[in-house]
Amino acid sequence: MPVTPDLDTAAVHLASPDLLRSVFRRHAAGVAVITARGESGPVGFTATSLSSVSAEPPMLSFGVGTGSSSWPAIAGTDHVGVHILGEHQQELAATFARSGADRFGAPTAWREGPEGVPVLDDVLAWLVCRVVARVPAGDHRIVLAEVVLGDPAGPGRPLLYHQGRFNALRD
């Protein structure tokens, strides 16, 4: 028979959005920016939900809120850009996370890349991916995307998100 540890019932919380947020604030995650070409220009958002899904074929996933300003473009596009940010890009991460920000205005440096996808400059790595599915998941969609091409060779160290803040990796 399995042994169940004594739980401090004062510390145990029922499932809620606040519980999930509190737990994931303790989970350090890499920081990415997802971009796409929208009908009225480029769109993008900061994501910490980026995951590698498959090596063969090369595939990844990320979550996007259906209430976000980027969702209409992500919902209708065939290709997205995925950018891994470096520790020198805290302000860029904050810009793409801020509602109502002019994400592609100065000082953001970017260019139109393959398939018309906005590609950010000076990132650790970037990919252009073909969207293969958008899976409903509560108030979000999980986007599955197959890697088409990219560049893994940007210099620097990764930017992390932990306890509600952007952080550098410590040795």
Side-chain angles (χ1 to χ4, degrees):
M1 172 177 269
V3 176
T4 305
D6 292 332
L7 296 176
D8 177 1
T9 55
V12 175
H13 301 272
L14 293 175
S16 70
D18 287 339
L19 173 62
L20 186 68
R21 284 186 203 98
S22 294
V23 168
F24 273 88
R25 277 188 198 106
R26 295 176 170 269
H27 174 69
V31 181
V33 168
I34 310 299
T35 61
R37 181 176 53 193
E39 285 188 20
S40 57
V43 301
F45 62 96
T46 300
T48 56
S49 61
L50 182 66
S51 293
S52 172
V53 172
S54 168
E56 196 56 49
M59 193 174 289
L60 57 80
S61 70
F62 60 87
V64 56
T66 56
S68 76
S69 60
S70 297
W71 170 242
I74 300 295
T77 192
D78 292 331
H79 291 85
V80 294
V82 177
H83 307 82
I84 307 300
L85 300 191
E87 63 187 8
H88 62 286
Q89 296 178 303
Q90 290 186 21
E91 187 53 42
L92 182 68
T95 297
F96 276 83
R98 200 169 24 253
S99 182
D102 181 5
R103 296 172 179 160
F104 290 90
T108 301
W110 65 282
R111 64 194 180 285
E112 185 173 312
E115 304 295 339
V117 171
V119 174
L120 301 176
D121 291 346
D122 200 29
V123 295
L124 294 188
W126 61 268
L127 299 166
V128 170
C129 303
R130 183 179 60 82
V131 175
V132 296
R134 295 168 188 87
V135 180
D139 61 355
H140 279 61
R141 295 296 179 268
I142 304 302
V143 177
L144 294 170
E146 187 173 352
V147 175
V148 175
L149 55 88
D151 181 357
R157 295 164 47 101
L159 180 63
L160 299 178
Y161 189 73
H162 180 251
Q163 293 288 21
R165 296 183 352 188
F166 298 113
N167 295 281
L169 184 64
R170 293 187 197 146
D171 289 327

